[in-house]
Amino acid sequence: MAATDAQTSLRHAFGNVLAFFILILIGVLAFSIRLFSVIKYESVIHEFDPYFNYRVTQFLTKNGIYDFWNWFDDRTWYPLGRVIGGTVYPGLTLTAGTLWWVLNSLNIPLSVETVCVFTAPIFSAFASWATYLLTKEVKGAGAGLTAAVLLAMVPSYISRSVAGSYDNEAVAIFALIFTFYLYIKTLNTGSLFYATLNSIAYFYMVCSWGGYTFIINLIPMHVLLCIVTGRYSSRLYIAYAPLVVLGTLLAALVPVVGFNAVMTSEHFASFLVFILIHVVALVYYIKGILSPKMFKVAVTLVVSGGLAVGFAMIAVLVAMVAASPTMGWSGRSLSLLDPTYASKYIPIIASVSEHQPPTWPSYFMDINVLAFLVPAGIIACFSPLSDASSFVILYIVTSVYFSGVMVRLMLVLAPAACILSGIALSQAFDVFTRSIKLQLPSLSVDSHVNAGDASSESVVPDDTVKTDKTEDTHKERTSKKSKKKEKEPVEKPPSKSQIKKRLLVLPLETSIIAIVLLVLLGAFYVVHSVWAAAEAYSAPSIVLTSHSHDGLHVFDDFREAYAWLSHNTEVDDKVASWWDYGYQTTAMANRTVIVDNNTWNNTHIATVGTAMSSPEKAAWEIFNSLDVKYVLVVFGGLVGYPSDDINKFLWMVRIGGGVFPHIKEPDYLRDGQYRIDNMATPTMLNCLMYKLSYYRFVETDGKAYDRVRRTEIGKKYFKLTHFEEVFTTHHWMVRIYKLKPPKNRIRGKTKKTKSKASSKTVSKKQGIKKNPF
Amino acid sequence: MMTMMMRLNLLLSFLLTFTILSSHVLSDLILTKVDRRIDLSSQIVRTTTTLKVENAGSDIVSEILLTFPDNHVKHLAYLSATLNEGKGKAKSFSGVGLPYEVVRPKDIPSSLATYSVTLPKGLGKAESLTMDILTVFTHILQPFPEKITQADIQLLLFQESAQYLSPYPVKVQSLNVKLPEARIESYTKLENTKLQGSELKYGPYENLPPFSYLPIVIHFENNQPFAVAKELVREIEISHWGNVQITEHYNLVHGGAQSKGEFSRLDYQARPYVRGASAFRRLTAKLPPRAHSVYYRDEIGNISTSSLWGDSKKTELEIEPRYPLFGGWKTAFTIGYGLPLQDFLFGVDGKRFLNISFGSPINELVIDTLVVKVVLPEGSKDISPSVPFPVKERHETKFSHLDIAGRPVVVLEKNNAVPEHNEHFQVYYKFNRLSMLREPLMLISGFFFLFLASIVYMHADLSISKTSASYLAKIQWEEVQATIHQVHSIVSRCLTTHDKLEASLRDLSRTGDIQGCKATRKSVDSSLKELTKELKSPVTFLQSSPQAAQILPKVEEVIAKERDLQEKLMAKHSTVVDCYEKKLGGREIENRIASHQQKITALKQEVDDLMDLIDEI
């Protein structure tokens, strides 16, 4: 027996080492699959928001943490400025800053940019390890490893965490999964140590991303579910109560959250459940010390009294919540609860493409075969239903709902889908391989080699295989038992499933075919993920490439323009552009912008939108009042770059019109259609955006054919009176104009010859609704 | 234009007065022949002057004075004087340039700067020598008009004296001005002026007194790139692992006429040589041969517009800034490349020295401030640079990959550098080859200690108190677990023994070997008894341990059930054997053992379930 013990412990150790190496490989996989962007393009920060985070990190590394908290940024939202320290989620910045600091104190001279670029891949490796831990708590190590592999390359997560995509989500997904893991771990062990860690992980999540509200709502929901289904235990109490108390205190330390942690409705559920769990705990305690009869009496007393108090409390709370205008909910949360909310009330939220509801193909694109495996995983979680597996089920259900509201939240769904698919795959493999294993010995007596059977033989040597087929069950049971013993260190499913498993023996051929099919499915997933990582999600979006017959063509116009701005304009010049380019302008060109991607001040954005949709003179007045010197527009008509300002223009009109009513959307539409050809409305053809985009465009090919809109433009020859072109990039994608200085008072004839109809009326209207500046 | 002319006239009259005043000659040198050639074809003005000097006095002269007007000397970037000993046209320069220094003799007007060139050997009476003087001026071409639009061409003004300004009398002299192949707006027309193609000739003039000055102004078109590096920081980092890494940070500006008004990409793209003639869009750098890992980027990322080709003689890198540079436009970028160490590092009597070129590899670039940093490997000692021209020198320390003491850096600073400064310079230092191994060893030992620490951590018991209740409870619980495991394994061995019994029954049905069957029963019986004995000690331990209170009933139940099962199996066995002995039919046997069989199956199921339960603890 001692020999077998040693053998099991050896196998135990071997299994652990194997799992360890698999985990390391998973980490390497998660890291390296995200490097396509660096290899195909370059080591550069991507898109829009990452540039802001990069700039903040630069500030942090240069000026230190205290200056960071007190940083008032006067380079943006001119003339308002922005308090960066109090309005950013500092988790990502602090993480990368710490990484940089550690590396530099070891004299490894990596630039801040390099650290920022590789933060996301590093954290996705962490995230896959956290997934392993979480799934291991739910369904054992096999499922954990499968889920970790799936998460390492789930396209949805890749899209947010390729090298260079330096955004909050990159670290937040790790924090999210890790917080869930610690919650489940506490729930399974009832250890206060893990409960404390859990609060700290929650704190990190609060630091990292606004999505922390998902945690603070999902965990109470689960606790409530446990209480309702009669699964209350002291472990549940340990898992929940410290999290709420410590977690809320810690969350309030983050400047951007502050008192929101107790005052907004997003956190309300957690407190309600907190009260409830105490009531339940009390009831259980009293139940323990009273005799059943006394207990019944006590219940009737307390329920009648408690109901009255409870109703009073609820009434007060409802009144308080109702007193605040949005019922205490922030706009983004409200648009989660009511998917139509944003499009009705907040055009700024609606204008962002990632806030739109996803289409069905995007599910297939982002989570691929996992979408089909998830139901199987849910079923596997129900047999048997434990505290942990019920949590996973709740997680997937809620995240499926949220992902249905906003494309962006697909990211929250991805880990849940990976966990459940991991469970499903691992259970399926389990069943099929076991079926094969149990039947192979009976087929050929000497085939000991198959499916690790050799080991089971060695454990119980006298468990021979000379049995005839009809006298089966108990023989198999013993062999299975020994097999189970060897598996025990890695997997400990409850006893009920054991009995079920015994019945779950499938025919050999079916199992083999099923395994082949599952492997094929997995292979398909891998191929799709690698494709997504390499082709779909690795473009940095500031550099565009196109393949033509004479090779690769690079469109580096954005950086050309930003470099020009940064070297050839005065340091304090203000640059106006649509808010999409705000972060990039401040980070790359280091120039003051009027609005940026933070979009915290709707009026300010509406002012810029109004200027862009006004005729030249009115626009000049607005910009001049804002002290703007340069106006930057993005124009894709020459090379066919579709996400340019003309295509975004209707949002400018809508947002502008939302605050300044003289801008009316129908003025820009001909019969409800947005067009820029000769059928376009005069308002459209005279607005600043049109003019700045198409200035002298006709001279390129003589026809002024717009390759994005696939039409000739409506008004081809016109002059600019208040703006002058100072720079246009190589492919015309960015055009920068300078405001001409105001003319001398005596203007003579020029006043009369100016376009009479539109500009006059608008300037009058301008008088009615004054620009705030 | 007018003001400039006025200024010139003033200067002229000023000079003339001085000429009259300083009537007496410094030494008795006479310049018998002066040939000056001025090259205006790029932004850098190179003047080559060939002097034929004769000593007319009796004293031996060992130095020759060269004078430049003040407004020229502040643009003087490079001066070299070499003796020209070759006869005829084959000019063979005699090695290195002659040493010179700035002097301020009393009898030379203070508005002139004077350089004194020391001759290798004194010039005796009536001896003569030929000397070549190369002077390079930067920023001396003034754009006029100063601001031009995109469509305008760039016009430049150049002022010089048609006569050689010298403290010595000059017998014969001439001046050749080479202009770029383009339009000449105007030039000062004197008597002996000839314009041949793009070459302008003044002279010859004969027998002029010292300090003769005849100002001329040339106004001409020049669309050569006016690339001026406001600052260039070259960092040369030596790695004794076989690489010299060079990183050059450029801060570039177009130093020509300022551009004003609109920049129209359309015009520039449609007619780049008409609309934007003064702009330049590319620069060429000649890198040393075998340069590798070349990159070209700026602070916001890689710049994709560059091309590289090379052969065994050189590597040529053509770079295009992000945007074409018009007058006054600025840009900044970084070029980096690696070079093989053995091409640049040599050893001489125990010392090593780096021998590499000083200036920028970019063609015709004017550098206002050139900072060359030579980063030597950590642990280098006795550092001494040797540069062929005067530079400011200071020392720094740089911390790079895993340094502890830092790497010594020699910083050499030179203002107003031109391609003529691309001479090789040397940095001598001492370095012990063993220091190379320090960093790898550091890494190895670091990881070694990390693993060691984790091994120690895994094997050491780090709990704070060995007597605390929770620790004891943990220990006890572990013991209980071990015991339960023991019980479990014993019981499962019992179960396998039961199987033997069953197997013997099957053998019996096949072979009818009653004796064998009985023997098996005996052996099984004895082994079961032994197992029961074995069970006693763990069970008593469990009964005594408070930790096992919860689990004990289950364990006891298992044992009881197992014993029951044992009895039932025995009974069944004996019944079957009896039946065989009595030679009863199969049906009869089945009838007899049916009740046993039922109970056995039920018990087996229960025992299995309980075992599973125990197993999970």
Side-chain angles (χ1 to χ4, degrees):
Chain A
M1 226 49 213
T4 44
D5 266 1
Q7 224 161 9
T8 28
S9 70
L10 192 69
R11 189 168 297 113
H12 191 146
F14 182 69
N16 272 352
V17 169
L18 195 66
F20 181 73
F21 276 106
I22 291 175
L23 278 178
I24 286 182
L25 286 180
I26 289 172
V28 170
L29 170 74
F31 183 81
S32 51
I33 201 172
R34 287 165 169 81
L35 298 186
F36 276 109
S37 61
V38 170
I39 292 159
K40 288 184 72 182
Y41 296 87
E42 57 180 285
S43 169
V44 73
I45 307 282
H46 289 197
E47 306 218 322
F48 305 104
D49 287 21
Y51 267 98
F52 170 74
N53 296 323
Y54 170 49
R55 186 164 158 257
V56 176
T57 315
Q58 272 181 320
F59 185 89
L60 173 73
T61 51
K62 208 183 285 169
N63 297 315
I65 181 87
Y66 291 105
D67 279 351
F68 166 69
W69 292 124
N70 295 324
W71 184 20
F72 177 80
D73 185 12
D74 56 358
R75 294 252 135 202
T76 181
W77 291 97
Y78 183 82
L80 309 170
R82 177 181 171 195
V83 187
I84 300 280
T87 55
V88 291
Y89 286 99
L92 176 75
T93 320
L94 292 179
T95 308
T98 317
L99 259 177
W100 180 85
W101 180 79
V102 167
L103 286 173
N104 269 270
S105 54
L106 290 175
N107 280 331
I108 299 173
L110 286 181
S111 66
V112 179
E113 189 189 12
T114 315
V115 173
C116 292
V117 166
F118 292 103
T119 300
I122 290 170
F123 269 80
S124 30
F126 292 169
S128 50
W129 293 334
T131 310
Y132 164 75
L133 292 173
L134 173 56
T135 320
K136 189 184 161 199
E137 282 303 312
V138 179
K139 277 282 172 186
L145 288 173
T146 322
V149 176
L150 293 176
L151 186 99
M153 50 189 177
V154 63
S156 169
Y157 186 30
I158 285 178
S159 75
R160 291 308 182 125
S161 62
V162 291
S165 177
Y166 179 57
D167 212 347
N168 287 337
E169 288 92 331
V171 297
I173 291 303
F174 158 71
L176 181 87
I177 301 171
F178 197 62
T179 313
F180 285 156
Y181 156 67
L182 285 170
Y183 170 69
I184 296 293
K185 183 83 185 172
T186 325
L187 197 57
N188 282 347
T189 58
S191 150
L192 205 51
F193 171 71
Y194 284 110
T196 319
L197 281 188
N198 189 19
S199 319
I200 292 169
Y202 172 67
F203 173 58
Y204 185 65
M205 177 70 191
V206 177
C207 279
S208 305
W209 197 31
Y212 77 90
T213 46
F214 181 61
I215 293 184
I216 205 61
N217 282 304
L218 184 62
I219 289 180
M221 273 166 77
H222 179 243
V223 172
L224 199 64
L225 185 78
C226 284
I227 291 172
V228 168
T229 53
R231 283 171 165 274
Y232 171 80
S233 64
S234 52
R235 288 175 289 111
L236 187 70
Y237 183 84
I238 296 284
Y240 186 65
L243 174 70
V244 171
V245 177
L246 274 178
T248 307
L249 281 176
L250 288 170
L253 291 180
V254 183
V256 64
V257 178
F259 279 105
N260 284 351
V262 284
M263 285 168 71
T264 56
S265 301
E266 282 97 339
H267 307 82
F268 183 65
S270 65
F271 299 123
L272 199 70
V273 174
F274 184 67
I275 296 168
L276 199 69
I277 199 170
H278 277 94
V279 172
V280 172
L282 187 73
V283 169
Y284 271 79
Y285 176 69
I286 293 171
K287 204 176 179 178
I289 56 171
L290 289 183
S291 64
K293 211 175 181 183
M294 286 287 284
F295 182 69
K296 261 184 191 165
V297 177
V299 164
T300 42
L301 264 175
V302 170
V303 163
S304 48
L307 273 182
V309 177
F311 275 121
M313 293 253 297
I314 288 168
V316 169
L317 276 172
V318 165
M320 274 169 67
V321 168
S324 68
T326 57
M327 313 272 180
W329 292 82
S330 65
R332 282 205 174 106
S333 311
L334 265 185
S335 62
L336 279 183
L337 296 181
D338 173 11
T340 57
Y341 178 83
S343 50
K344 269 190 258 169
Y345 302 107
I346 321 169
I348 279 204
I349 290 183
S351 77
V352 181
S353 62
E354 64 184 23
H355 290 164
Q356 308 290 342
T359 52
W360 285 115
S362 70
Y363 274 97
F364 188 71
M365 175 71 202
D366 275 356
I367 56 173
N368 200 249
V369 299
L370 305 188
F372 310 118
L373 288 171
V374 163
I378 294 177
I379 292 168
C381 278
F382 270 108
S383 58
L385 191 69
S386 64
D387 291 348
S389 62
S390 68
F391 177 77
V392 173
I393 293 166
L394 198 65
Y395 178 21
I396 187 87
V397 169
T398 44
S399 61
V400 163
Y401 169 76
F402 287 131
S403 72
V405 178
M406 267 191 204
V407 181
R408 196 157 107 115
L409 293 176
M410 196 76 92
L411 195 59
V412 177
L413 170 68
C418 287
I419 291 165
L420 282 164
S421 312
I423 291 171
L425 272 182
S426 130
Q427 299 267 321
F429 272 117
D430 214 26
V431 168
F432 295 137
T433 47
R434 195 178 51 242
S435 312
I436 293 175
K437 192 164 148 188
L438 293 186
Q439 285 170 63
L440 277 186
S442 51
L443 277 181
S444 62
V445 177
D446 297 322
S447 70
H448 290 184
V449 269
N450 270 310
D453 249 70
S455 57
S456 93
E457 305 296 326
S458 61
V459 175
V460 189
D462 38 4
D463 177 12
T464 41
V465 279
K466 51 195 171 185
T467 158
D468 48 338
K469 227 174 175 181
T470 45
E471 265 263 333
D472 48 4
T473 42
H474 61 263
K475 179 108 314 187
E476 272 178 17
R477 222 175 291 153
T478 28
S479 87
K480 219 187 60 48
K481 189 165 301 154
S482 55
K483 193 205 82 189
K484 213 201 77 204
K485 209 188 284 164
E486 83 187 60
K487 270 200 161 185
E488 190 228 275
V490 278
E491 183 191 302
K492 38 177 185 179
S495 62
K496 275 186 191 168
S497 70
Q498 282 298 308
I499 301 156
K500 262 187 198 164
K501 271 184 188 171
R502 275 168 214 150
L503 307 174
L504 281 173
V505 176
L506 295 169
L508 183 66
E509 297 78 15
T510 326
S511 319
I512 291 173
I513 291 170
I515 283 181
V516 169
L517 286 179
L518 277 183
V519 169
L520 279 180
L521 194 72
F524 179 67
Y525 175 72
V526 172
V527 169
H528 174 82
S529 302
V530 172
W531 172 83
E535 302 294 332
Y537 292 135
S538 60
S541 96
I542 56 159
V543 190
L544 308 163
T545 53
S546 76
H547 294 274
S548 57
H549 54 278
D550 54 346
L552 190 74
H553 199 77
V554 180
F555 298 84
D556 203 358
D557 285 38
F558 287 106
R559 286 193 296 186
E560 183 182 346
Y562 294 132
W564 185 86
L565 272 177
S566 106
H567 291 294
N568 296 304
T569 57
E570 294 297 316
V571 169
D572 285 327
D573 284 347
K574 281 87 193 168
V575 181
S577 66
W578 189 234
W579 59 261
D580 294 23
Y581 313 104
Y583 278 164
Q584 289 185 349
T585 312
T586 42
M588 283 199 264
N590 192 22
R591 290 295 170 268
T592 309
V593 295
I594 305 301
V595 290
D596 70 21
N597 310 43
N598 182 238
T599 64
W600 64 273
N601 186 327
N602 193 22
T603 316
H604 220 49
I605 292 179
T607 312
V608 174
T610 307
M612 293 294 190
S613 3
S614 305
E616 222 189 314
K617 187 173 186 311
W620 186 90
E621 272 164 14
I622 294 174
F623 280 141
N624 195 44
S625 71
L626 283 168
D627 206 9
V628 168
K629 210 159 170 201
Y630 296 95
V631 181
L632 180 150
V633 294
V634 173
F635 170 64
L638 186 74
V639 287
Y641 170 64
S643 48
D644 65 348
D645 278 348
I646 291 284
N647 273 3
K648 291 173 186 167
F649 182 60
L650 268 193
W651 286 111
M652 304 185 202
V653 173
R654 261 170 227 161
I655 293 170
V659 178
F660 303 101
H662 68 271
I663 302 290
K664 294 185 193 69
E665 192 178 336
D667 290 348
Y668 298 84
L669 303 175
R670 172 76 70 192
D671 306 325
Q673 265 192 318
Y674 177 60
R675 51 201 311 169
I676 44 105
D677 54 6
N678 50 15
M679 293 291 288
T681 58
T683 325
M684 177 71 215
L685 295 182
N686 280 315
C687 74
L688 184 72
M689 180 50 73
Y690 179 89
K691 283 194 164 179
L692 296 190
S693 289
Y694 293 114
Y695 177 60
R696 297 189 69 186
F697 180 54
V698 66
E699 292 171 51
T700 54
D701 59 351
K703 288 189 303 209
Y705 181 77
D706 186 322
R707 290 200 191 151
V708 176
R709 269 63 61 176
R710 297 180 183 285
T711 172
E712 280 181 32
I713 61 170
K715 192 172 166 184
K716 294 179 182 175
Y717 298 95
F718 54 87
K719 282 211 158 59
L720 292 174
T721 46
H722 294 87
F723 293 85
E724 64 175 354
E725 184 185 7
V726 285
F727 191 74
T728 298
T729 57
H730 189 241
H731 301 99
W732 288 51
M733 275 161 59
V734 184
R735 311 194 71 181
I736 301 171
Y737 294 84
K738 191 177 182 178
L739 270 74
K740 279 188 184 166
K743 281 189 181 140
N744 288 339
R745 277 286 166 201
I746 313 134
R747 264 185 272 176
K749 276 198 247 172
T750 49
K751 201 171 183 179
K752 282 177 191 167
T753 49
K754 219 169 279 166
S755 60
K756 297 161 203 166
S758 54
S759 83
K760 266 187 187 172
T761 49
V762 173
S763 60
K764 259 182 210 164
K765 279 179 187 168
Q766 193 68 26
I768 300 162
K769 174 80 190 188
K770 260 282 182 204
N771 191 327
F773 308 107
Chain B
M1 195 71 183
M2 278 312 290
T3 51
M4 202 169 293
M5 282 308 198
M6 292 268 282
R7 217 167 54 213
L8 270 175
N9 288 338
L10 268 174
L11 184 73
L12 184 67
S13 52
F14 182 64
L15 275 169
L16 283 176
T17 28
F18 267 107
T19 322
I20 295 154
L21 279 173
S22 60
S23 52
H24 102 269
V25 183
L26 285 150
S27 57
D28 300 321
L29 288 179
I30 294 172
L31 303 180
T32 48
K33 196 180 175 201
V34 175
D35 271 328
R36 281 194 296 153
R37 290 171 299 280
I38 299 178
D39 185 357
L40 295 182
S41 57
S42 81
Q43 59 161 336
I44 300 170
V45 176
R46 292 186 176 85
T47 312
T48 321
T49 315
T50 312
L51 301 176
K52 210 172 219 173
V53 190
E54 196 181 300
N55 192 352
S58 51
D59 301 337
I60 289 177
V61 181
S62 63
E63 51 187 27
I64 297 173
L65 298 182
L66 307 172
T67 50
F68 303 96
D70 251 1
N71 60 341
H72 272 195
V73 84
K74 68 182 179 213
H75 299 299
L76 179 67
Y78 184 80
L79 171 74
S80 86
T82 44
L83 281 181
N84 187 353
E85 284 165 349
K87 305 290 174 218
K89 297 212 167 177
K91 284 171 190 165
S92 63
F93 291 97
S94 63
V96 289
L98 301 171
Y100 59 85
E101 56 182 346
V102 182
V103 289
R104 285 231 152 260
K106 267 180 269 159
D107 39 9
I108 285 187
S110 61
S111 63
L112 294 179
T114 313
Y115 287 83
S116 155
V117 178
T118 315
L119 296 174
K121 60 175 201 270
L123 199 61
K125 189 184 179 209
E127 281 181 328
S128 71
L129 58 83
T130 315
M131 196 178 182
D132 280 321
I133 295 160
L134 172 68
T135 47
V136 179
F137 297 96
T138 56
H139 302 294
I140 202 168
L141 298 172
Q142 280 176 316
F144 190 86
E146 287 184 342
K147 287 193 173 178
I148 54 172
T149 63
Q150 187 184 353
D152 294 336
I153 52 165
Q154 179 171 272
L155 295 171
L156 300 169
L157 271 184
F158 178 66
Q159 304 169 17
E160 241 303 359
S161 163
Q163 294 164 355
Y164 184 59
L165 185 65
S166 166
Y168 312 112
V170 183
K171 274 192 180 159
V172 184
Q173 61 167 302
S174 66
L175 170 67
N176 272 9
V177 182
K178 188 173 172 272
L179 294 164
E181 306 271 342
R183 198 155 60 92
I184 298 168
E185 192 81 5
S186 71
Y187 58 95
T188 314
K189 288 195 177 81
L190 300 169
E191 291 161 35
N192 293 330
T193 311
K194 252 188 283 173
L195 179 67
Q196 286 178 334
S198 65
E199 215 160 84
L200 197 58
K201 278 189 180 168
Y202 287 94
Y205 302 103
E206 289 175 4
N207 290 328
L208 290 172
F211 300 111
S212 307
Y213 194 85
L214 187 59
I216 52 168
V217 175
I218 306 168
H219 195 198
F220 62 102
E221 179 187 337
N222 186 345
N223 286 322
Q224 293 301 307
F226 268 52
V228 177
K230 286 274 166 214
E231 190 185 49
L232 165 60
V233 180
R234 295 186 81 206
E235 193 178 273
I236 302 165
E237 185 162 354
I238 301 169
S239 158
H240 276 263
W241 295 100
N243 191 33
V244 177
Q245 179 67 36
I246 301 187
T247 318
E248 300 173 351
H249 303 277
Y250 288 87
N251 220 329
L252 211 67
V253 66
H254 185 297
Q258 300 277 312
S259 85
K260 66 172 181 192
E262 295 199 336
F263 162 66
S264 168
R265 174 69 70 169
L266 179 80
D267 292 338
Y268 181 71
Q269 276 171 340
R271 286 158 297 188
Y273 297 105
V274 184
R275 303 297 171 100
S278 64
F280 65 90
R281 68 160 85 192
R282 57 175 63 88
L283 298 163
T284 314
K286 281 207 175 62
L287 307 181
R290 302 210 276 155
H292 60 87
S293 332
V294 183
Y295 65 84
Y296 168 47
R297 59 167 292 154
D298 64 4
E299 59 181 352
I300 55 175
N302 177 51
I303 307 172
S304 50
T305 43
S306 62
S307 53
L308 180 78
W309 62 99
D311 50 31
S312 59
K313 294 270 170 53
K314 62 174 192 306
T315 312
E316 207 163 81
L317 172 70
E318 190 181 86
I319 55 173
E320 227 173 278
R322 288 197 187 271
Y323 40 87
L325 283 178
F326 280 83
W329 285 15
K330 296 180 199 115
T331 189
F333 57 85
T334 304
I335 302 174
Y337 46 95
L339 298 169
L341 186 74
Q342 66 268 24
D343 293 4
F344 298 94
L345 194 77
F346 308 95
V348 60
D349 45 282
K351 276 197 155 190
R352 294 154 200 272
F353 71 94
L354 173 81
N355 185 32
I356 203 164
S357 76
F358 190 81
S360 156
I362 292 183
N363 293 346
E364 291 299 281
L365 181 74
V366 171
I367 305 159
D368 287 352
T369 311
L370 170 62
V371 180
V372 178
K373 295 182 176 180
V374 182
V375 183
L376 298 170
E378 193 177 19
S380 306
K381 289 187 295 280
D382 303 337
I383 302 151
S384 61
S386 133
V387 189
F389 37 82
V391 288
K392 274 186 257 171
E393 184 192 327
R394 61 175 195 275
H395 291 265
E396 283 177 359
T397 311
K398 183 188 172 183
F399 288 93
S400 187
H401 298 275
L402 298 170
D403 287 346
I404 293 170
R407 307 182 181 196
V409 184
V410 182
V411 186
L412 307 168
E413 197 175 323
K414 170 97 185 84
N415 287 326
N416 212 357
V418 287
E420 273 71 15
H421 288 114
N422 271 6
E423 295 177 40
H424 281 72
F425 74 105
Q426 292 80 36
V427 177
Y428 294 88
Y429 64 98
K430 275 185 180 162
F431 179 71
N432 186 356
R433 204 161 258 283
L434 277 179
S435 321
M436 276 166 70
L437 292 175
R438 185 155 75 187
E439 275 156 19
L441 283 179
M442 219 165 81
L443 272 185
I444 291 167
S445 53
F447 276 99
F448 176 73
F449 283 114
L450 180 74
F451 291 137
L452 202 68
S454 60
I455 288 172
V456 167
Y457 175 77
M458 293 303 280
H459 286 267
D461 187 354
L462 292 178
S463 50
I464 300 165
S465 158
K466 307 274 187 231
T467 52
S468 75
S470 67
Y471 182 75
L472 288 178
K474 199 181 145 205
I475 297 273
Q476 274 177 0
W477 178 239
E478 271 165 12
E479 278 172 13
V480 167
Q481 268 179 323
T483 327
I484 288 172
H485 194 71
Q486 211 178 336
V487 171
H488 184 266
S489 64
I490 293 170
V491 173
S492 57
R493 267 157 75 197
C494 287
L495 291 177
T496 38
T497 332
H498 295 170
D499 289 342
K500 256 187 219 167
L501 216 54
E502 297 269 316
S504 74
L505 276 186
R506 278 195 298 279
D507 278 352
L508 183 67
S509 69
R510 215 168 47 238
T511 59
D513 181 8
I514 297 167
Q515 291 311 315
C517 199
K518 273 184 178 167
T520 318
R521 186 167 68 190
K522 224 170 232 169
S523 72
V524 165
D525 201 31
S526 62
S527 68
L528 279 178
K529 267 182 187 134
E530 261 173 43
L531 286 171
T532 321
K533 262 183 217 160
E534 264 183 53
L535 262 179
K536 247 173 207 163
S537 71
V539 170
T540 41
F541 173 78
L542 283 181
Q543 278 161 344
S544 66
S545 168
Q547 291 270 342
Q550 286 167 311
I551 198 81
L552 190 62
K554 290 266 186 311
V555 174
E556 279 172 343
E557 199 184 341
V558 156
I559 292 167
K561 286 267 162 65
E562 197 274 333
R563 198 154 293 160
D564 214 8
L565 182 63
Q566 212 171 313
E567 276 165 19
K568 288 277 161 4
L569 273 170
M570 282 298 182
K572 176 188 164 195
H573 198 264
S574 54
T575 323
V576 173
V577 172
D578 276 358
C579 291
Y580 268 93
E581 274 178 337
K582 288 173 190 162
K583 305 235 174 355
L584 290 173
R587 185 158 297 274
E588 184 75 3
I589 299 171
E590 261 178 37
N591 279 343
R592 290 208 180 176
I593 61 167
S595 59
H596 287 303
Q597 192 62 46
Q598 241 174 7
K599 274 180 196 159
I600 285 168
T601 321
L603 275 172
K604 228 169 199 166
Q605 185 67 42
E606 278 173 33
V607 169
D608 271 357
D609 283 352
L610 282 170
M611 289 285 278
D612 281 349
L613 257 176
I614 289 170
D615 200 21
E616 259 158 43
I617 288 158

